Amino acid sequence: MEIIVNGKSVNEYLHEGKIYIEGKEKSEFSIRVKNNGSSRILAVPTADGLSVMDGKAAGLKSRGYIVDGYDSLVIDGWRTSDNSVAKFFFTSPEKSYAELSDKGENIGVIGVAVFEEKQNTVIIQQHYEKVYPLVKPWQPYPDYPYSPWWGGGTYTGGLISSVTMLSSLSADTGSLKSDNANNMQAIGAGFGDEKNAPVTTVSFDRKDTPSAVFEIFYNTREQLKNLGVIFNKPVYVTPSAFPADNGYCKPPKNN
């Protein structure tokens, strides 16, 4: 996940284990989600503790966007219909969408929870019989724990629920919360001009828990300095030689 302003990713700064960015009042911003895997995922985006899909308190059952394998998605605003969004922009806390909706306790954080799709699995267990070793008449049979038969095929899987491309963080499972004190938060996410952004409804059977949850905290430069953020040390993500990706070599994309 990254935040886009004027078509470019903004600098991220690491402070006490959290990622921070600088927000400037009146600047429009977008959320970009990139899927580095081959299977599609469900990205559930939030801003200021609210689902960007319906404006309600965000939880792990909120709807989200489907991102195909090796693809990315840019989310430009609060979804107002199947055809449009209201653009994100930084504004004063009292003018933020969360505060105007009487839900301003989590202003200052943008999040995305990523869900993988459930896979139907067939488990095959081999039949076997209890077999005793040859023993002499006066020797007792050994006591072998066993089950005489293990049955042939067990099907596990779940019902596919219909979600939107668009699919679902809910208030009853907890929201992504900012640890910034409200008296330090100098900007929030506003509800801006309408933009055309059509979506369609698709099916996606999400796993029960997210595979990853990303949070980016934001504030003005002055307040981030007061928090102790050092601006001359942007986050640098080092590459990994063994990222635990199992399987075999796949042809490069578009090959």
Side-chain angles (χ1 to χ4, degrees):
M1 180 185 85
E2 55 188 346
I3 306 303
I4 308 298
V5 175
N6 295 326
K8 297 181 180 179
S9 300
V10 300
N11 288 333
E12 298 178 351
Y13 304 93
L14 181 64
H15 176 68
E16 296 182 349
K18 293 180 172 61
I19 302 297
Y20 292 86
I21 63 168
E22 176 188 358
K24 297 181 179 179
E25 195 166 343
K26 298 183 180 180
S27 293
E28 294 181 351
F29 68 91
S30 302
I31 305 169
R32 180 156 63 195
V33 181
K34 185 177 181 181
N35 182 0
N36 294 318
S38 59
S39 301
R40 64 179 189 170
I41 60 171
L42 176 67
V44 178
T46 77
D48 293 347
L50 304 182
S51 166
V52 308
M53 314 308 297
D54 56 20
K56 298 178 181 178
L60 295 178
K61 294 181 181 178
S62 297
R63 296 181 299 163
Y65 291 96
I66 297 203
V67 187
D68 289 331
Y70 304 121
D71 204 353
S72 62
L73 174 72
V74 176
I75 305 166
D76 291 319
W78 308 93
R79 181 143 297 279
T80 56
S81 71
D82 286 349
N83 296 309
S84 61
V85 298
K87 293 180 182 178
F88 297 128
F89 73 101
F90 293 119
T91 186
S92 60
E94 60 271 17
K95 294 181 180 179
S96 68
Y97 180 50
E99 186 64 35
L100 294 175
S101 302
D102 296 323
K103 300 172 184 175
E105 61 271 16
N106 293 302
I107 295 174
V109 61
I110 299 166
V112 170
V114 176
F115 290 84
E116 297 177 349
E117 196 166 9
K118 287 183 178 179
Q119 302 293 329
N120 291 330
T121 304
V122 176
I123 301 174
I124 303 298
Q125 293 178 310
Q126 186 175 0
H127 294 271
Y128 68 91
E129 296 183 76
K130 173 180 174 182
V131 178
Y132 287 121
L134 181 64
V135 294
K136 295 181 180 180
W138 58 85
Q139 290 180 320
Y141 283 111
D143 184 16
Y144 289 109
Y146 75 105
S147 292
W149 293 94
W150 289 89
T154 303
Y155 176 83
T156 60
L159 295 177
I160 294 179
S161 59
S162 179
V163 295
T164 56
M165 181 174 175
L166 298 173
S167 178
S168 275
L169 300 170
S170 95
D172 58 352
T173 53
S175 58
L176 304 179
K177 293 186 177 180
S178 169
D179 61 352
N180 290 328
N182 286 336
N183 61 354
M184 290 184 60
Q185 191 62 39
I187 54 173
F191 194 91
D193 295 334
E194 185 174 294
K195 178 179 180 179
N196 185 47
V199 293
T200 57
T201 300
V202 296
S203 294
F204 188 97
D205 188 19
R206 74 174 76 187
K207 290 187 176 181
D208 296 331
T209 57
S211 57
V213 176
F214 301 96
E215 291 178 314
I216 295 178
F217 297 89
Y218 68 89
N219 212 331
T220 61
R221 191 177 189 88
E222 179 182 1
Q223 292 293 356
L224 291 180
K225 284 182 177 179
N226 292 338
L227 190 63
V229 174
I230 301 175
F231 285 89
N232 59 354
K233 291 184 178 181
V235 173
Y236 174 70
V237 180
T238 57
S240 172
F242 299 93
D245 188 15
N246 298 323
Y248 299 98
C249 296
K250 298 181 177 67
K253 187 179 179 182
N254 298 327
N255 188 28

